[in-house]
Amino acid sequence: MLSRVADSLYWLSRYLERAENLARMVDVCRYDALDAVLGDSGETWRPILYAMCSEEAYQVARRSRSEELDVGRFITFADENPDCIRHCIAHARENARMVRDQISEEMWLELNSIHLFLQSGEAEDLWRRQPEALYREVIKFRLLFEGLIDATIPHDEGWNFIKVGKYLERADKTSRILDTLTYGDEPERGRLASAMRSCSGFSAFRGEYRGEISLRNVVGFLLFSPSFPRSVRFCVREVDRVLHAISGMPSGAFSNEAERLTGSMLAQMNFSSVENVWSVGLHRYIDGLQAQLNQIGQKVFETYVLLPSEIRNVARPEVWQIAWQQSQQQQQ
Amino acid sequence: MFQFYQKESFFDEMFVGEDESVFPHYQGLRERLGRLDDAEISEKQRRVDTSFLEQGVTFTVYGDDRGTERIFPFDLIPRIIPDTEWRTIEQGLTQRIIALNLFLHDIYHDERIIKEGIVPEEVVKSAAHYRPEMRGVDVPKDIYIHICGTDLIRDAEGRYLVLEDNGRCPSGVSYLLENREAMKRAFPRLYRDYGVRPVDHYPELLLKTLRHLSPRPGQAPVCVLLTPGVYNSAYFEHTFLARKMGIEIVEGRDLIVLDGFVYMRTTRGLVQVDVIYRRLDDDFLDPVVFRDDSMLGVPGIMDAYLKGNVALANAVGTGVADDKVTYAYVPEMIRFYLDQDPILENVPTYLAWRDEDRQYMLENFPKLVVKAANESGGYGMLMGPTSTAAEREDFAAKIRQTPRNFIAQPVVSLSRHPTICGDNRIEGRHVDLRPFILYGEDIEIIPGGLTRVALRKGSLVVNSSQGGGSKDTWVLYH
C-alpha cells in the first residue's frame, strides 16, 4: 500500500477517535455542570480544557470575542480551536478524500454527511436547543463508522493502520481523562464518576470493583484493566498486535522501532500496578505514558511513511503553495 | 409540461417545428414527462442533488479561498441520440483522433506536414505546448493522445461541428458516469424501455488502454493515476476513476525515480510503476526538465520516460494538437494524412496571426467569439455580441500585441435542449456534447458523452466554472 495512503488512513482514524472522545467528555461535563453550585459552572469545565491542553487557546478565543464564549461551544465548534469536534471531523474527511479509492462507498457517505451536517447551521441550532442530542449524533456516527470499518473493507494492511490510529488516540485520550483528576484538589466521588462516564466505563468498572469508587480503583481500572477496551493497557496491547500484523513479525519480537517501543510499553503495563503509579505520582506517570505514545506514533510514521533518507529532511513547502499549484492544473 | 415551450429560431434537439411535434426518438420521453407533476419533478431533482452532494460528486470553485465544493448542476431531461446519428459521430471522431496522432508523430519526427507547406512551421513551434524535448522520441505504440475529449456542437441546421479537441487532460467522464447512475435511479422504467446503450464499462476500457502501453509486456503492468492533489478541481474524478479501475491514485511525492525507473513508495518499500495516467500538466511533470518550482511533479520522470521505462498517458507534448490555432488546420491534416474528407467539420475559424483574418476580427467583434489559443474552461474568452466596448478594446489591444494567441469564430447559435429551469418551467437552453475517445489497441468511444448545458438564459457558455450544468446522454440501440 502507498505510504501516503497508510498515513491518511491512520489520521482519518485518529481524528474520528478524537472527535468521539471529545463528544463523550463534553457531554459528561455539561451534565455535571447542572449539579454545580450556581455561578460556579466555569470550574466544572476547567479540567477538560486542562486535559486538552487548550486552556490558553480558550482564553485567547474568549478575549477576541465580544460575546461570552461557552466552553462547550469552544470544544464543539470554535474556529479558534484547531481540535474542536467540527474540525476533527473535517480533518478526518479531508484524509478520507485523499484515500477515497481505499474506503467503502458507505464509509464515505456517512463521514461526508456528518461533516456537512456539522458545517451547517442546523448543527448549531440543535446544539443550542439540545446539546446532548448533538453529542449523541457524533457518538452514534462514530459507532456506525466503526461498524462500517469492520464490515465493509478488507481486513488487510490499510485496516491495520486504521486500528493503529484508533488505539493510539484512544490510549492518549483515556490517559488525559485520568489526568483531569490530578487537577486541583483530591477529586471527590462526583469527579471520579465523571471520569468513568467519559470513558463509558462505569458499569464495567462496577462489575470489576464491586462498586467501591476511589481514586485508586479508578486509576487501576482505566490504566490496567486487561479487558476493558478503553484502558490504556488494552489499547497498547491492540497497537502491539496490529503492528505485528502489519510487519508479519511474531509477537514478542520486533522488526522496527515502533514495535520495540510498543512491546516495551506493553510489558511495563502488563506487570505494573497502582503502587508503581503512586510511587512516581499520577501526573508524572501519565506524562510518561503520553510521551511514550507520541514516540510510538512518530516511529510508525518513520517506519512506514518516510523513506530513511528523508527522516532528517524537514524543509517542506507551505501547504498553500502546494494547494495553489494543484488548483492550477488545467483539467480541460 | 411543455405547453409554454418556446423553440424560437434555434435548432432544438427535441422539437421539430413550431407546433408541438417532436423527433420520433423523443416521443417516449415526452409522454413520460407529461405524466409528471411539479411536486414529482422537485422531489426527483432534490433526491438527485442530495445524492451527488453526499457522494461528493463535486468540483472545486477556483478563486474561492474556502475551497468550496459544489455539485455540477444536473438536469433531469436526458439528451437522446439515435443510432444512425451516433454512427456518423463515431466515424468522424475516429478519423479525427487518428489524424491528430499522426500529426503529433510527424511534428516530433519528420515534419512532413510542415515541409509540404500544409501547416506553417511557426504555428507548430510557437504553440505554448510544443515540447522540443519530444523531438525524435518514440512513444509507446506511437500513440500520443490516448484519452481525448472532443467538444461537438450543432449549428442552426443541426449539423454536428467540432468546437475543440481536448488532448491533454480532458475531464468530465466521471460526471457522465454519475449522471447515468442518477438517471437510472430517477426514471428506472423509462430508461429500461428506451433501449439505451450502456456506458459503465468506460473504466475497464480506460484500464485496457493504459495496460496496452506497458513497457514490460508479459508481466502484470502496474498502472497508477497521477493527480495534482485534493485541491485540484477535478480531484473527485481522479479518485473516481482510480477506484473504478482498481489502481493506485498517486501524487508526485508518492513517486521516486531511481536509475531511470519510476517507483512508488509503499509501506513495503518501492514498487516499480509501468504506466502513469497523469492528470498533471506537462509544465509541472518534472522540475528537472520543465518548471523547476513544481512541487507536484517527480524529479527525473522525463528521463525515465525518454528511456522508455515508463509510459505516460497522455504523452508529453500533445498540447500542440489541441492548440486553438492548430485546430484550424485539422481538416487539412485529415486530407493530408488520411486522404479523406473530414466527416465532422470544424467551426470556421479566423487566425489573428494572418493579416487579413486579424483585420476582419478587429472590424467584426460583435459577430465573433474571440478565444485565447491556450486557455480552457471558458477562460480568456470574449463573447462578441454581449461584450462591452471596454472589453472589446482590451481584446483588440491584446490581439495586436500577440496575434498568435488569438482566434475568432462566428457565433454559432448552439442547438438548444428542453431543460428544467426555475419554478420547474421547461425552457430551451444551449447544449454541447463531449464524447470521450480512447486510443489503445483499438479506438473505443463510449456511446454518448457529457452533454453540457448553459443554464443561464441565452448563455452560450457551458463550462462548469461559468454556470454550466449537465445532462445524461442516451445513445439508442436503434
Side-chain angles (χ1 to χ4, degrees), chain A residues 129-142:
Chain A
R129 280 180 288 115
Q130 271 185 294
E132 74 282 2
L134 179 88
Y135 298 121
R136 214 165 42 229
E137 276 300 308
V138 173
I139 294 168
K140 259 168 64 184
F141 151 74
R142 168 63 178 156

Side-chain angles (χ1 to χ4, degrees), chain B residues 284-350:
Chain B
F284 283 83
L285 204 50
D286 186 341
V288 180
V289 180
F290 303 119
R291 282 179 58 154
D292 62 1
D293 65 339
S294 170
M295 293 172 270
L296 312 176
V298 186
I301 198 171
M302 270 304 278
D303 179 46
Y305 179 57
L306 296 178
K307 285 180 172 145
N309 293 335
V310 72
L312 297 176
N314 289 343
V316 173
T318 57
V320 64
D322 70 11
D323 181 282
K324 290 188 174 65
V325 177
T326 313
Y327 158 87
Y329 293 94
V330 177
E332 296 303 318
M333 283 175 208
I334 294 174
R335 292 193 187 93
F336 180 72
Y337 294 116
L338 305 176
D339 196 22
Q340 293 171 359
D341 282 325
I343 299 168
L344 294 169
E345 305 242 7
N346 267 8
V347 176
T349 303
Y350 302 96

Side-chain angles (χ1 to χ4, degrees), chain B residues 179-362:
Chain B
N179 287 354
R180 177 58 56 84
E181 290 301 309
M183 279 309 278
K184 280 182 173 170
R185 277 195 300 269
F187 294 98
R189 268 164 312 186
L190 179 73
Y191 175 81
R192 189 194 57 204
D193 296 344
Y194 236 96
V196 182
R197 292 178 61 186
V199 293
D200 56 2
H201 55 303
Y202 178 83
E204 287 143 52
L205 293 178
L206 176 57
L207 184 59
K208 208 174 114 206
T209 307
L210 298 175
R211 294 170 71 116
H212 181 57
L213 302 174
S214 173
R216 289 192 292 177
Q219 293 192 46
V222 178
C223 305
V224 299
L225 187 153
L226 175 60
T227 176
V230 288
Y231 296 104
N232 187 264
S233 65
Y235 184 71
F236 163 74
E237 174 155 308
H238 305 160
T239 56
F240 177 93
L241 290 174
R243 195 172 68 233
K244 298 273 173 178
M245 289 190 282
I247 66 176
E248 298 283 358
I249 176 169
V250 300
E251 295 181 17
R253 57 190 159 128
D254 296 323
L255 299 180
I256 186 168
V257 179
L258 294 174
D259 303 327
F261 288 87
V262 180
Y263 299 89
M264 61 180 166
R265 302 160 37 171
T266 78
T267 51
R268 308 259 171 231
L270 301 176
V271 173
Q272 192 184 329
V273 173
D274 300 305
V275 184
I276 301 175
Y277 175 30
R278 49 92 175 220
R279 297 291 297 256
L280 200 64
D281 296 345
D282 286 354
D283 273 342
F284 283 83
L285 204 50
D286 186 341
V288 180
V289 180
F290 303 119
R291 282 179 58 154
D292 62 1
D293 65 339
S294 170
M295 293 172 270
L296 312 176
V298 186
I301 198 171
M302 270 304 278
D303 179 46
Y305 179 57
L306 296 178
K307 285 180 172 145
N309 293 335
V310 72
L312 297 176
N314 289 343
V316 173
T318 57
V320 64
D322 70 11
D323 181 282
K324 290 188 174 65
V325 177
T326 313
Y327 158 87
Y329 293 94
V330 177
E332 296 303 318
M333 283 175 208
I334 294 174
R335 292 193 187 93
F336 180 72
Y337 294 116
L338 305 176
D339 196 22
Q340 293 171 359
D341 282 325
I343 299 168
L344 294 169
E345 305 242 7
N346 267 8
V347 176
T349 303
Y350 302 96
L351 305 178
W353 76 283
R354 285 183 189 145
D355 293 339
E356 65 275 32
D357 283 14
R358 182 172 60 252
Q359 202 51 39
Y360 179 83
M361 280 165 73
L362 294 172

Side-chain angles (χ1 to χ4, degrees), chain A residues 1 4 100 157 326 332, chain B residues 55 232 254 267 322 434:
Chain A
M1 129 168 308
R4 180 177 51 82
R100 255 198 85 173
E157 205 182 356
Q326 289 182 1
Q332 297 175 298
Chain B
Q55 292 183 56
N232 187 264
D254 296 323
T267 51
D322 70 11
R434 173 178 290 183

